[in-house]
Amino acid sequence: MNVAEKVYLGTNLKMYMTNSETRDYLYKIRSLCENKGSAHLQLFVIPSFTSLAEGTALVDHKQILIGAQNMHWAEQGQFTGEVSPRMLRDLNMDLVELGHSERRMYFGETDEQINRKVLSALGFGFIALLCIGETKEQKEAGQADEVLSRQLLIGLRDVEPREVGRIWVAYEPVWSIGVDGRPADPDYVAERGRSIRQTLYSLFGKSGETIPLLYGGSVNLDNASCYNDLDEINGLFVGRYAWDAERFAALIDKVGQS
Ligand code: PGA
């Protein structure tokens, strides 16, 4: 199926829900999403590490993919406190989110480190969901496209052509994310989307066009269609708004119709 025919919709639960809260949430999502899944809609949920074992066992992976919020690139080793791709594969993980701005900002992750994680995630058979985005200062300095291009060129360096089908990109302007974020103007997102597409084309040629490009940052029921309807955007990556199962289901109805 052509990437443009499919809508991607998912949420990163960040560091909010306990295991039992995640279980309740996924139960609700599972029943609310019954009969909503279709070949045209790809749903995904990214819980905390502590909820992954139960999370992957709980959902029908044909309907909802489960992802991890981060991982180390090494298969195993002397890396106290880290989680390896081998551990995630053992849990039947579908995807790994890499390079979220909070990882870059608060944990000092560099594009080079993120690249190692991307290559490792692909090597272990996961979908690699690479998050990119410019800060407010970079936007105001007119550097947004340059920053996005750099994050892609380094983050996706050395990805084999045969692995391109397992890359997803989330464009999340840092200034639009979280409690202090403000939703981006859809025209601005479309412009950045075109620039991202150009970089993906320069990296992978025609097959770069098949990479799903998601928008994230203060998405809610009122603005979801403004982003999802853009030609450049294939879906939405949602934080706060989707952490209530009923609201996530309402988003599914909304973008599933558009
Ligand atoms: P938000 O988070 O929807 O709460 O702004 C988005 C994100 O961090 O991916």
Side-chain angles (χ1 to χ4, degrees):
M1 179 182 299
N2 185 316
V3 68
E5 293 168 17
K6 206 162 175 173
V7 177
Y8 297 75
L9 178 66
T11 182
N12 162 18
L13 303 184
K14 304 195 180 182
M15 195 184 72
Y16 280 98
M17 292 191 204
T18 63
N19 186 44
S20 48
E21 287 162 352
T22 308
R23 186 194 310 131
D24 292 347
Y25 175 77
L26 286 173
Y27 266 125
K28 280 195 203 142
I29 297 269
R30 205 174 64 172
S31 62
L32 287 165
C33 294
E34 233 167 358
N35 309 320
K36 287 196 206 288
S38 79
H40 296 276
L41 183 64
Q42 181 59 73
L43 300 173
F44 62 99
V45 176
I46 307 187
S48 297
F49 283 130
T50 51
S51 310
L52 290 180
E54 260 196 81
T56 55
L58 227 151
V59 301
D60 173 358
H61 292 236
K62 284 198 222 61
Q63 201 168 36
I64 303 174
L65 302 181
I66 296 286
Q69 295 176 15
N70 180 30
M71 66 167 212
H72 196 279
W73 56 78
E75 180 167 353
Q76 58 186 20
Q78 302 180 98
F79 299 108
T80 301
E82 291 290 305
V83 172
S84 82
R86 198 169 75 92
M87 296 166 185
L88 295 178
R89 192 174 56 189
D90 184 55
L91 296 180
N92 290 322
M93 202 59 45
D94 301 295
L95 71 91
V96 183
E97 172 186 5
L98 297 167
H100 187 278
S101 63
E102 289 153 15
R103 299 290 323 161
R104 295 174 188 263
M105 217 165 21
Y106 304 127
F107 301 96
E109 284 195 16
T110 64
D111 288 317
E112 286 75 13
Q113 290 171 330
I114 293 163
N115 175 244
R116 293 181 80 168
K117 295 181 181 202
V118 166
L119 296 178
S120 174
L122 293 171
F124 272 82
F126 303 124
I127 293 165
L129 170 54
L130 173 64
C131 302
I132 57 170
E134 82 285 5
T135 62
K136 182 165 170 282
E137 294 69 31
Q138 290 164 335
K139 172 179 186 264
E140 284 166 359
Q143 296 167 344
D145 289 338
E146 187 188 321
V147 168
L148 297 172
S149 167
R150 188 173 59 237
Q151 290 175 342
L152 288 170
L153 291 174
I154 302 177
L156 298 177
R157 195 158 54 196
D158 295 333
V159 168
E160 305 270 348
R162 63 184 164 81
E163 292 176 327
V164 172
R166 281 186 288 112
I167 295 172
W168 299 0
V169 173
Y171 169 49
E172 305 199 294
V174 181
W175 46 269
S176 75
I177 290 176
V179 282
D180 298 323
R182 63 176 180 77
D185 182 69
D187 290 338
Y188 180 87
V189 174
E191 272 176 57
R192 302 291 79 71
R194 284 192 285 280
S195 146
I196 290 167
R197 285 274 169 226
Q198 272 172 15
T199 307
L200 292 174
Y201 190 84
S202 77
L203 275 165
F204 304 116
K206 266 291 217 198
S207 58
E209 290 170 9
T210 64
I211 295 176
L213 177 58
L214 284 61
Y215 170 76
S218 297
V219 171
N220 57 42
L221 196 61
D222 293 332
N223 64 23
S225 303
C226 301
Y227 302 118
N228 195 52
D229 290 351
L230 295 172
D231 287 344
E232 295 77 8
I233 296 297
N234 308 107
L236 303 172
F237 192 21
V238 190
R240 291 155 296 154
Y241 195 84
W243 298 342
D244 172 282
E246 277 83 16
R247 295 207 301 191
F248 189 48
L251 273 177
I252 296 172
D253 286 339
K254 187 99 174 205
V255 301
Q257 283 160 14
S258 61

